[in-house]
Amino acid sequence: MQIAPRKVINAWCMYDWANSAYNLVITSTIFPAYYEAITKNRLPDNEVEFLGRKFVNTALYNYALGAAFIVVAFMSPILTSISDYRGNKRNFMRFFCTMGSIFCCLLYFFAPQPLAGGGTTLSQRSLDVGIFCMVFACIGFWASLVFYNSFLPDLVPHRLRDRISARGYTWGYIGSVILQVLCFIIVFFPDLFGFHSTYAKDFMPPRVSFVLVGLWWFGFAQISFRYLPISTVKERHERKNVFTNGFLELKKVWSQLKHMPVLKLFLVSFFWYSAGIQTVFLAATQFGAKELHLPTDKLIITIMIIQLVAIPGAIIISRASERFGNIQTLMACVLVWIGACIGAYYTYTDIQFYFLGAIVGLVMGGIQSLSRSTYSNLMPDTKDTASFFSFYDVTEKIALVMGMFTFAYIEERTIRFGGMRNSVLALMVFFMLGFVWLGLTMRKANRLTQQA
């Protein structure tokens, strides 16, 4: 196939630059720490009330994210079908980017109210606003990635997908770190920005950071939307019912997988280890705040370490895959994740947490990038790339739901004797299953190569 122009490929990578700020500030650092700080100690065992039920505060956070991923998993086939029919993945990507960035900005209104005698209180209304805005921002982020990922096989041939996929993740890490540094300055030097009262110093900087993330995401994404292509009229598919066709397309992809054993085995392995990776990333800040009692500055330092180390990590893993093969490299990465889960269970100090963050950072971006490009390379040659990537994204989201719900459920059930430490250790099982299935994938691929 013909390689897309350089400016188009760079525009595709630029969306990673734009949206990764959400993944770092909202998903991983400032928002989780802010959420933990303003919701703790409201009821026994740090419980909060939501929709008439009491939850451990961090468990509610994970359940809410899990619910968002259920919505994305259900919507993905429908959205893909509509985008195929309209022939315009770019516009749907733009819609969800806009939705997500708006709800990021609306997180500004998730705040406690000052009391006349000192202190603060978080109203039920403010908690509800925060949870719902978090959920809709999450839906916007992940739904836009359904369309973003499906552009990759349209832009470059097989031989370049590992490298371009890694470039996208690298740009994302660089962009997110730049904004994170700006937010870091606002949070830890509030006087420079006119926040002088105790209330303003404690609560205004994080809220300003949420607005900055929304503006950054929306603003830089316009570069991507300007250059990413729209399908020609001839390439658009005729659909009788676009709302059911997406699920029929998933069924069609599943039927094709029966005749593609290597891809099928890879998807099973991806399901298991993806459940662990995404859950660790989403819950890392909560673990540091609740189990290690680390202040916000040390939590942000840890996530910054992960992001900075992830930049060379993605490149190193990309190069390793060229030398040793994709599956072998993925297996090595999963072994590192298994070790990280064991290490987290026995982590008690900030230095240990920093070291663990560096290890996770080395394999975080690389394994995600390599998984995406490996799937792309194992796909059959087809113009209907959105349907195959919809299947990939649905697999990832269902895995994420299982991971988040498992993490939250185990924490709630063992809150008095282990809590999150038990949850982290349970994630190790997901990685072990992923490793086993990657081994089966490599074995099947080798057999088919020998037969050929």
Side-chain angles (χ1 to χ4, degrees):
M1 66 171 288
Q2 187 176 0
I3 301 174
R6 184 180 182 86
K7 66 179 181 181
V8 175
I9 294 174
N10 287 341
W12 182 80
C13 294
M14 181 55 71
Y15 190 70
D16 236 322
W17 172 289
N19 71 53
S20 291
Y22 165 87
N23 220 17
L24 180 56
V25 177
I26 304 299
T27 301
S28 308
T29 56
I30 295 179
F31 182 77
Y34 175 79
Y35 172 89
E36 161 69 12
I38 69 174
T39 59
K40 67 181 179 181
N41 300 327
R42 298 186 77 218
L43 295 171
D45 294 328
N46 292 321
E47 289 182 320
V48 293
E49 188 171 333
F50 183 71
L51 300 180
R53 183 186 183 279
K54 291 180 181 178
F55 299 86
V56 174
N57 60 342
T58 46
L60 171 61
Y61 181 93
N62 292 323
Y63 282 136
L65 285 180
F69 292 125
I70 290 175
V71 172
V72 174
F74 179 77
M75 288 172 54
S76 179
I78 299 173
L79 297 173
T80 302
S81 178
I82 296 173
S83 72
D84 282 344
Y85 176 72
R86 297 291 183 184
N88 196 350
K89 292 182 282 191
R90 185 182 64 191
N91 277 357
F92 285 90
M93 182 174 153
R94 188 201 306 267
F95 170 81
F96 285 104
C97 165
T98 303
M99 184 185 86
S101 59
I102 287 173
F103 278 101
C104 270
C105 293
L106 291 177
L107 284 171
Y108 177 85
F109 299 102
F110 177 40
Q113 291 73 45
L115 297 174
T120 61
T121 181
L122 180 67
S123 68
Q124 188 63 49
R125 180 178 180 181
S126 183
L127 176 64
D128 294 344
V129 167
I131 295 296
F132 281 115
C133 286
M134 179 186 73
V135 166
F136 281 103
C138 179
I139 291 172
F141 173 78
W142 287 100
S144 72
L145 289 186
V146 172
F147 304 104
Y148 168 68
N149 287 334
S150 69
F151 269 108
L152 180 60
D154 295 340
L155 301 181
V156 293
H158 286 275
R159 60 186 175 84
L160 294 177
R161 288 175 191 169
D162 287 353
R163 187 161 295 188
I164 298 303
S165 180
R167 184 192 299 179
Y169 273 101
T170 301
W171 284 32
Y173 284 123
I174 295 172
S176 60
V177 166
I178 291 173
L179 184 61
Q180 177 71 89
V181 169
L182 176 58
C183 294
F184 186 95
I185 294 171
I186 296 172
V187 169
F188 295 109
F189 302 97
D191 289 322
L192 296 177
F193 301 90
F195 304 131
H196 300 301
S197 69
T198 301
Y199 177 84
K201 287 181 179 181
D202 289 343
F203 302 110
M204 286 301 294
R207 295 162 64 194
V208 170
S209 298
F210 307 152
V211 175
L212 288 177
V213 169
L215 296 177
W216 177 283
W217 181 6
F218 179 81
F220 281 108
Q222 303 313 305
I223 299 173
S224 302
F225 301 141
R226 180 177 180 182
Y227 291 107
L228 286 175
I230 180 173
S231 302
T232 64
V233 175
K234 291 182 180 180
E235 290 175 323
R236 302 178 190 183
H237 301 276
E238 292 295 333
R239 312 289 193 195
K240 291 184 178 181
N241 190 329
V242 296
F243 292 100
T244 60
N245 186 75
F247 295 99
L248 294 176
E249 287 296 311
L250 291 185
K251 183 179 179 181
K252 179 181 175 182
V253 171
W254 176 252
S255 299
Q256 293 182 59
L257 287 175
K258 296 177 182 178
H259 307 289
M260 293 180 283
V262 177
L263 181 58
K264 183 178 179 180
L265 288 170
F266 172 74
L267 275 172
V268 175
S269 66
F270 172 74
F271 174 86
W272 289 116
Y273 70 72
S274 183
I277 291 170
Q278 297 293 346
T279 304
V280 168
F281 189 64
L282 292 169
T285 301
Q286 299 173 28
F287 180 86
K290 179 170 279 189
E291 294 295 328
L292 307 182
H293 308 292
L294 297 180
T296 303
D297 58 344
K298 292 187 176 182
L299 292 173
I300 292 180
I301 288 172
T302 305
I303 302 301
M304 289 287 285
I305 290 173
I306 292 175
Q307 296 295 108
L308 292 172
V309 173
I311 296 172
I315 298 172
I316 291 170
I317 289 174
S318 174
R319 298 294 187 269
S321 69
E322 294 175 2
R323 181 173 180 180
F324 302 106
N326 286 24
I327 303 300
Q328 292 91 329
T329 304
L330 285 170
M331 291 178 72
C333 290
V334 171
L335 282 177
V336 174
W337 278 103
I338 292 173
C341 288
I342 298 172
Y345 185 83
Y346 293 103
T347 294
Y348 292 95
T349 68
D350 53 352
I351 300 300
Q352 291 174 333
F353 198 55
Y354 294 156
F355 181 74
L356 188 65
I359 294 175
V360 167
L362 278 173
V363 292
M364 173 67 76
I367 194 170
Q368 291 176 305
S369 169
L370 191 57
S371 297
R372 179 171 64 185
S373 58
T374 300
Y375 179 77
S376 178
N377 288 334
L378 292 175
M379 278 170 46
D381 290 328
T382 176
K383 291 182 178 180
D384 199 10
T385 56
S387 292
F388 270 87
F389 266 97
S390 175
F391 196 95
Y392 178 84
D393 285 309
V394 168
T395 301
E396 183 181 40
K397 301 309 172 295
I398 294 175
L400 231 167
V401 169
M402 185 178 69
M404 297 300 291
F405 279 15
T406 299
F407 193 91
Y409 182 79
I410 292 176
E411 183 195 0
E412 279 200 306
R413 294 301 177 187
T414 64
I415 189 66
R416 299 183 187 276
F417 49 93
M420 278 192 180
R421 292 184 185 277
N422 296 329
S423 297
V424 170
L425 203 59
L427 294 180
M428 184 178 64
V429 177
F430 295 152
F431 289 114
M432 293 175 67
L433 289 171
F435 183 83
V436 170
W437 284 97
L438 278 172
L440 294 174
T441 303
M442 184 174 66
R443 183 180 178 184
K444 175 59 81 171
N446 290 337
R447 283 186 178 180
L448 292 177
T449 301
Q450 291 173 359
Q451 292 175 3

